[in-house]
Amino acid sequence: MSGHDSKYFSTTKKGEIPELKEELNSQYKDKRKDAVKKVIAAMTVGKDVSSLFTDVVNCMQTENLELKKLVYLYLINYAKSQPDLAILAVNTFVKDSQDPNPLIRALAVRTMGCIRVDKITEYLCDPLQKCLKDDDPYVRKTAAICVAKLFDINAELVEDRGFLEALKDLISDNNPMVVANAVAALAEIQENSTSPIFEINSTTLTKLLTALNECTEWGQVFILDALSRYKAADPREAENIVERVTPRLQHANCAVVLSAVKMILQQMELITSTDVIRNLCKKMAPPLVTLLSAEPEIQYVALRNINLIVQKRPTILAHEIKVFFCKYNDPIYVKMEKLEIMIKLASDRNIDQVLLEFKEYATEVDVDFVRKAVRAIGRCAIKLERAAERCISVLLELIKIKVNYVVQEAIIVIKDIFRRYPNTYESIIATLCESLDTLDEPEAKASMIWIIGEYAERIDNADELLESFLESFPEEPAQVQLQLLTATVKLFLKKPTEGPQQMIQIVLNNATVETDNPDLRDRAYIYWRLLSTDPEAAKDVVLAEKPVITDDSNQLEPSLLDELLANISTLSSVYHKPPEAFVTRLKTTVQKTEDEDFAEGSEAGYSSGNPVDSAASPPTTTGNIHPAGRQPAPAPAVPAPVPDLLGDLMGLDNAAIVPVDEPTTPSGPPLPVVVPAAAGQGLQISAQLTRKDGQVFYSMLFENNSQAVLDGFMIQFNKNTFGLAAAGPLQIQPLHPGTSARTLLPMVLFQNMSAGPPSSLLQVAVKNNQQPVWYFTDKIILHALFGEDGRMERGAFLETWRSLPDSNEVLKEFPGITITSVESTIELLTAFNMFFIAKRKNGNQDVIYLSAKVPRDVPFLIELTAMVGQPGLKCAVKTPTPEIAPFFFEAVELLFKA
């Protein structure tokens, strides 16, 4: 529409639909065109004009390109709601796809691709095949994108009709824009497919590099992104590719520059010459610096990408730290990102400049930015040992300013500096103690209390200082309470005089009797028992030498960093998260399970290696496992019309939450008893982790054998290896004597993580209004965490097995387990999301291969070896996290003994 078309959006009269109908059927072309514009205007502002479908479609028979575009726009919007009527337009589409005007041919194919109606899709194939071989490049490039849209609608149709081969042929096209669109379409199809579709070889590589110099900026982005996934055969080829791509660094479009940087970084991994790498680093610095002169939004994206680049190749911008100094008019999000990069680029050579900047920032008006600047000084001190003293001096100067939030942030970072350089800078403690009265933030209070406890022997009035905090102990946040408890114990162990003795009694009493925080209470009980049984052992535990800390607060794992660098110039590099963390892709090709024996040649990929003695598993909970039933293949999720707020916040499938009043009829074996009636004053609790409809639940049965009505049930889970926590409150109605109630409690993962080595123990606390808190220990049953997406293709299974080192393979034998048949074993394991891959014979033994996956995409590759009907099962599991393999063996034992 032109700039004069705003009149069509003006309010129309009462009978607008009949009027529009009349105008659409007018004999005058101009009147019909105006009527269609009015219809599009009404559609744009949300009015329902679907009743005019037939009348608008009649206007398709026109030579006027503008009118045709408007009608096509209407069709795209309403074809889904009127699929039967949309068929009326097919003949016109087919006719337009053979029009002498290439613009009309391209428009027809593009529109048919956008109309996601199955009946029309069938008619699209013939015109699309012709347009892929059209004489005009504009039509060919439009048809290339249409193939990707068609693949999204019907993947099998695209493969059967040979469109993928036609797309690959277009990579050899003499028009660079056709090549770019073919690459874009193939890349999109590859992302949505499990089988290899778009693989670049040396011939394709040459064609893409040739097209790169001639196509438009967005075409260059598509080609560069595709090239970044190509692994060069040797360092010489990598150098040649980089040489051809380097000119793109001078491009005016930021996206082209970032895509070129991504591609060069990927190929640099293969280049061995230090001179070549040094020159490339020099060449990449100016374009990255230039990105910082753009508007703030682009600056931010560039900074997030630079943040990743300097973690991998800090030399690229080592001499450019001044460009990251904050300007007074920078938005706060840009300033924060610049601070992060300055910390990463800080070195002994430039630390004086950096500290001057940080000191200046610490006097700004934006409180968040000031805090970040003060913390940055502390991180530089931890990172650079030679500069630590200068950083301390700057922090002390800032403390003297007496600005509350600056002082508190300074104390937090000085605590970390003390951890990094023990027995070096303790002379400043007296200055810190002067600011004690101004502390009101939990983290600052906790840091100051830690300093007092850690250096109690050097602070004359340490007991008085801690006593001032004890007065408000019950009201303090958990973080402060935990530090107060530990600091008081340290003080008592270092100065076992009367004052600290009274303090420790008050603190331990408060922390065990007056609190409902399990972390605080458990720690207090441990200290209490240590102090009462063996004070020397208490000293060894509480006053033990602490490991030296490093500044890794924002360093990414090497594998994650490599993945993010492979996704530079995408949202992934802005979020600093892998794509699968925020994008859900549904693979369109169906994975098939084949029940064929392995070929002899593949046997080498499954060599067991040297047996590894697995750690002895702790005793399992009594009781049997309750099968969850075989899970169907994942299907596209249908959004709920009105999402439940609680479920939405927790990230839960609303349909998976069992209502309180829904009768639950337990099927299969009973749940294991975790609190017997004798120990629970008449209350018996049975519980076990289970999985239902893709969601983890804690299945619980409460039986009231007491004489009182029990109500107000609550539950809490201690920190554990998988961070399991309740997704909501425990929904149990008042329990009358002699009655029972069963519930499925939805669980969330990775919200309650414990430090230290993995453990399959799940510590739980349950309380009600009439009884004390009941504590019990349950087991984390690993197969309850196995996801429905754990099925792997055979090739992927082999490749993953080979890629994992032999040290990641853990073996265990179960002499008491007998397999009655291979088929029933596969069926049993499939019911718990352990998916069959293949089987083979090894002498008179059967070997079965399966795959599973726990959250955060950690695969489990499983090899079971047994002789049918004979006792003895050998289980080998290979996984990136072999420390949790014993959990798997516990699960296997439970399943086969059930």
Side-chain angles (χ1 to χ4, degrees), residues 365-421:
V365 291
D366 190 300
V367 176
D368 288 336
F369 183 52
V370 170
R371 289 176 187 276
K372 193 94 170 177
V374 176
R375 199 159 286 211
I377 297 169
R379 285 173 61 185
C380 286
I382 292 166
K383 179 183 175 185
L384 306 168
E385 188 171 352
R386 292 181 189 172
E389 196 165 339
R390 278 172 282 175
C391 295
I392 288 272
S393 301
V394 174
L395 288 169
L396 288 175
E397 287 176 38
L398 293 172
I399 287 172
K400 287 173 186 172
I401 298 172
K402 298 288 184 188
V403 176
N404 191 8
Y405 51 86
V406 174
V407 173
Q408 302 202 73
E409 207 64 36
I411 287 172
I412 292 167
V413 297
I414 287 171
K415 181 260 292 180
D416 290 335
I417 294 170
F418 284 170
R419 285 284 310 274
R420 177 71 176 83
Y421 308 107

Side-chain angles (χ1 to χ4, degrees), residues 600-660:
E600 291 297 318
S602 67
E603 227 173 281
Y606 292 90
S607 59
S608 295
N610 298 322
V612 180
D613 290 326
S614 62
S617 303
T620 56
T621 350
T622 55
N624 296 316
I625 224 65
H626 173 50
R630 187 163 186 160
Q631 300 296 334
V638 181
V642 184
D644 174 63
L645 184 59
L646 176 64
D648 191 45
L649 285 172
M650 293 295 182
L652 297 173
D653 175 10
N654 299 311
I657 300 175
V658 180
V660 184

Side-chain angles (χ1 to χ4, degrees), residues 80 111-122 124 146-158 588:
K80 253 188 184 175
T111 309
M112 284 179 84
C114 291
I115 297 175
R116 302 176 67 86
V117 175
D118 290 337
K119 293 176 183 176
I120 287 188
T121 304
E122 296 165 15
L124 170 62
C146 190
V147 173
K149 290 179 179 177
L150 182 59
F151 186 89
D152 194 37
I153 301 166
N154 191 334
E156 288 182 12
L157 189 66
V158 170
T588 50

Side-chain angles (χ1 to χ4, degrees), residues 603-615 797 800-812 840 847-849 859-865 874-886 888-889:
E603 227 173 281
Y606 292 90
S607 59
S608 295
N610 298 322
V612 180
D613 290 326
S614 62
F797 184 95
T800 309
W801 187 288
R802 292 190 184 112
S803 68
L804 291 171
D806 286 344
S807 57
N808 281 38
E809 184 178 354
V810 188
L811 294 102
K812 187 174 174 69
R840 65 181 174 88
V847 185
I848 309 169
Y849 297 95
F860 272 69
L861 312 183
I862 305 154
E863 181 189 67
L864 298 179
T865 308
K874 183 181 175 185
C875 179
V877 63
K878 213 170 189 184
T879 175
T881 54
E883 59 271 15
I884 61 173
F888 175 77
F889 297 135

Side-chain angles (χ1 to χ4, degrees), residues 302-496:
L303 287 165
R304 292 292 281 175
N305 283 277
I306 288 168
N307 193 323
L308 297 172
I309 293 165
V310 296
Q311 287 185 51
K312 185 75 173 179
R313 304 269 180 188
T315 51
I316 293 176
L317 293 161
H319 302 289
E320 306 287 349
I321 196 163
K322 280 191 175 179
V323 301
F324 299 105
F325 287 177
C326 299
K327 298 172 185 170
Y328 76 95
N329 58 347
D330 278 341
I332 186 64
Y333 54 89
V334 170
K335 287 182 177 178
M336 294 291 201
E337 210 51 45
K338 284 184 174 180
L339 268 184
E340 283 296 330
I341 295 170
M342 285 166 70
I343 295 166
K344 288 181 173 61
L345 294 177
S347 63
D348 293 328
R349 189 172 55 254
N350 59 27
I351 189 63
D352 289 327
Q353 282 179 303
V354 171
L355 283 177
L356 276 173
E357 280 293 307
F358 286 166
K359 187 179 175 184
E360 187 69 30
Y361 302 158
T363 59
E364 292 261 352
V365 291
D366 190 300
V367 176
D368 288 336
F369 183 52
V370 170
R371 289 176 187 276
K372 193 94 170 177
V374 176
R375 199 159 286 211
I377 297 169
R379 285 173 61 185
C380 286
I382 292 166
K383 179 183 175 185
L384 306 168
E385 188 171 352
R386 292 181 189 172
E389 196 165 339
R390 278 172 282 175
C391 295
I392 288 272
S393 301
V394 174
L395 288 169
L396 288 175
E397 287 176 38
L398 293 172
I399 287 172
K400 287 173 186 172
I401 298 172
K402 298 288 184 188
V403 176
N404 191 8
Y405 51 86
V406 174
V407 173
Q408 302 202 73
E409 207 64 36
I411 287 172
I412 292 167
V413 297
I414 287 171
K415 181 260 292 180
D416 290 335
I417 294 170
F418 284 170
R419 285 284 310 274
R420 177 71 176 83
Y421 308 107
N423 305 315
T424 309
Y425 300 109
E426 283 74 17
S427 56
I428 68 168
I429 291 174
T431 310
L432 300 182
C433 290
E434 292 171 10
S435 308
L436 214 57
D437 296 337
T438 63
L439 305 182
D440 54 17
E441 292 174 13
E443 195 178 358
K445 275 188 184 180
S447 299
M448 193 67 224
I449 292 165
W450 181 88
I451 292 169
I452 295 168
E454 189 68 16
Y455 301 102
E457 71 278 13
R458 303 189 188 192
I459 304 171
D460 296 333
N461 61 337
D463 49 349
E464 292 175 19
L465 296 176
L466 283 180
E467 203 166 1
S468 64
F469 288 105
L470 287 178
E471 294 168 6
S472 56
F473 183 91
E475 290 79 39
E476 294 289 358
Q479 184 181 8
V480 178
Q481 288 179 330
L482 286 163
Q483 281 297 352
L484 261 175
L485 172 61
T486 305
T488 311
V489 173
K490 285 179 182 175
L491 174 66
F492 173 71
L493 291 171
K494 290 177 180 181
K495 296 181 178 178

Side-chain angles (χ1 to χ4, degrees), residues 514-821:
E514 302 296 330
T515 182
D516 56 0
N517 183 334
D519 289 342
L520 180 64
R521 187 174 50 248
D522 289 352
R523 188 186 293 190
Y525 275 130
I526 290 168
Y527 286 156
W528 200 327
R529 284 165 191 156
L530 275 171
L531 292 170
S532 59
T533 54
D534 191 349
E536 288 305 313
K539 283 185 180 179
D540 292 339
V541 172
V542 182
L543 304 179
E545 192 172 328
K546 294 161 190 63
V548 175
I549 63 169
T550 54
D551 178 44
D552 60 352
S553 55
N554 208 36
Q555 293 297 323
L556 297 167
E557 290 289 326
S559 57
L560 176 59
L561 180 60
D562 289 340
E563 187 176 357
L564 295 178
L565 285 169
N567 285 290
I568 277 181
S569 77
T570 67
L571 271 179
S572 181
S573 65
V574 177
Y575 290 161
H576 287 191
K577 291 179 181 178
E580 59 270 16
F582 57 92
V583 176
T584 305
R585 290 197 183 98
L586 292 171
K587 300 295 183 187
T588 50
T589 51
V590 180
Q591 296 176 326
K592 296 172 185 174
T593 304
E594 298 173 20
D595 192 19
E596 299 171 358
D597 288 352
F598 255 0
E600 291 297 318
S602 67
E603 227 173 281
Y606 292 90
S607 59
S608 295
N610 298 322
V612 180
D613 290 326
S614 62
S617 303
T620 56
T621 350
T622 55
N624 296 316
I625 224 65
H626 173 50
R630 187 163 186 160
Q631 300 296 334
V638 181
V642 184
D644 174 63
L645 184 59
L646 176 64
D648 191 45
L649 285 172
M650 293 295 182
L652 297 173
D653 175 10
N654 299 311
I657 300 175
V658 180
V660 184
D661 54 354
E662 182 179 312
T664 53
T665 311
S667 59
L671 295 173
V673 176
V674 288
V675 177
Q681 296 180 6
L683 172 65
Q684 179 164 298
I685 305 174
S686 307
Q688 190 172 62
L689 279 175
T690 187
R691 189 176 190 88
K692 182 180 178 183
D693 300 329
Q695 164 76 29
V696 180
F697 291 92
Y698 198 45
S699 182
M700 303 187 77
L701 174 66
F702 293 79
E703 297 174 65
N704 184 5
N705 299 310
S706 71
Q707 300 303 311
V709 177
L710 304 179
D711 61 10
F713 283 90
M714 297 172 71
I715 190 166
Q716 191 162 0
F717 294 84
N718 203 355
K719 292 181 179 178
N720 55 79
T721 297
F722 286 96
L724 281 160
L730 190 59
Q731 303 280 1
I732 294 288
Q733 298 292 335
L735 208 56
H736 291 272
T739 62
S740 64
R742 191 162 185 171
T743 186
L744 282 176
L745 176 68
M747 302 289 284
V748 289
L749 289 149
F750 307 115
Q751 291 209 354
N752 200 18
M753 303 285 287
S754 63
S759 168
S760 62
L761 295 180
L762 184 64
Q763 294 174 323
V764 190
V766 173
K767 66 173 287 190
N768 57 61
N769 290 339
Q770 288 74 30
Q771 296 179 321
V773 180
W774 303 118
Y775 300 94
F776 61 88
T777 301
D778 202 353
K779 281 280 186 183
I780 296 174
I781 301 173
L782 194 64
H783 54 67
L785 307 184
F786 281 157
E788 286 68 22
D789 59 344
R791 190 188 302 278
M792 296 175 78
E793 284 191 337
R794 189 173 298 187
F797 184 95
L798 274 166
E799 187 178 336
T800 309
W801 187 288
R802 292 190 184 112
S803 68
L804 291 171
D806 286 344
S807 57
N808 281 38
E809 184 178 354
V810 188
L811 294 102
K812 187 174 174 69
E813 293 191 14
F814 301 92
I817 292 177
T818 304
I819 286 181
T820 53
S821 80

Side-chain angles (χ1 to χ4, degrees), residues 173-401:
D173 200 278
N174 56 8
N175 185 288
M177 266 318 297
V178 176
V179 176
N181 276 25
V183 168
L186 283 167
E188 186 174 327
I189 290 169
Q190 181 64 78
E191 283 180 359
N192 294 307
S193 174
T194 52
S195 54
I197 287 172
F198 182 36
E199 293 179 333
I200 300 175
N201 53 35
S202 53
T203 313
T204 318
L205 177 69
T206 309
K207 291 171 184 171
L208 293 182
L209 287 170
T210 305
L212 186 62
N213 299 320
E214 301 171 23
C215 60
T216 64
E217 52 195 10
W218 296 111
Q220 291 179 35
V221 170
F222 292 136
I223 292 174
L224 286 168
D225 285 349
L227 288 173
S228 68
R229 290 189 284 273
Y230 175 70
K231 292 278 188 293
D234 52 54
R236 181 183 291 277
E237 187 183 22
E239 287 179 34
N240 290 337
I241 294 169
V242 167
E243 192 178 337
R244 299 277 295 273
V245 170
T246 306
R248 301 300 108 210
L249 292 172
Q250 314 303 323
H251 204 282
N253 187 309
C254 307
V256 176
V257 173
L258 283 173
S259 292
V261 167
K262 168 170 68 178
M263 199 268 177
I264 293 169
L265 284 171
Q266 295 297 101
Q267 298 302 332
M268 279 171 74
E269 294 296 307
L270 300 165
I271 297 173
T272 52
S273 168
T274 51
D275 290 337
V276 173
I277 288 176
R278 194 183 305 114
N279 287 333
L280 285 173
C281 288
K282 283 181 183 174
K283 286 179 181 176
M284 279 194 282
L288 289 173
V289 169
T290 305
L291 292 177
L292 300 181
S293 57
E295 50 268 32
E297 292 80 8
I298 291 177
Q299 274 189 62
Y300 178 72
V301 172
L303 287 165
R304 292 292 281 175
N305 283 277
I306 288 168
N307 193 323
L308 297 172
I309 293 165
V310 296
Q311 287 185 51
K312 185 75 173 179
R313 304 269 180 188
T315 51
I316 293 176
L317 293 161
H319 302 289
E320 306 287 349
I321 196 163
K322 280 191 175 179
V323 301
F324 299 105
F325 287 177
C326 299
K327 298 172 185 170
Y328 76 95
N329 58 347
D330 278 341
I332 186 64
Y333 54 89
V334 170
K335 287 182 177 178
M336 294 291 201
E337 210 51 45
K338 284 184 174 180
L339 268 184
E340 283 296 330
I341 295 170
M342 285 166 70
I343 295 166
K344 288 181 173 61
L345 294 177
S347 63
D348 293 328
R349 189 172 55 254
N350 59 27
I351 189 63
D352 289 327
Q353 282 179 303
V354 171
L355 283 177
L356 276 173
E357 280 293 307
F358 286 166
K359 187 179 175 184
E360 187 69 30
Y361 302 158
T363 59
E364 292 261 352
V365 291
D366 190 300
V367 176
D368 288 336
F369 183 52
V370 170
R371 289 176 187 276
K372 193 94 170 177
V374 176
R375 199 159 286 211
I377 297 169
R379 285 173 61 185
C380 286
I382 292 166
K383 179 183 175 185
L384 306 168
E385 188 171 352
R386 292 181 189 172
E389 196 165 339
R390 278 172 282 175
C391 295
I392 288 272
S393 301
V394 174
L395 288 169
L396 288 175
E397 287 176 38
L398 293 172
I399 287 172
K400 287 173 186 172
I401 298 172

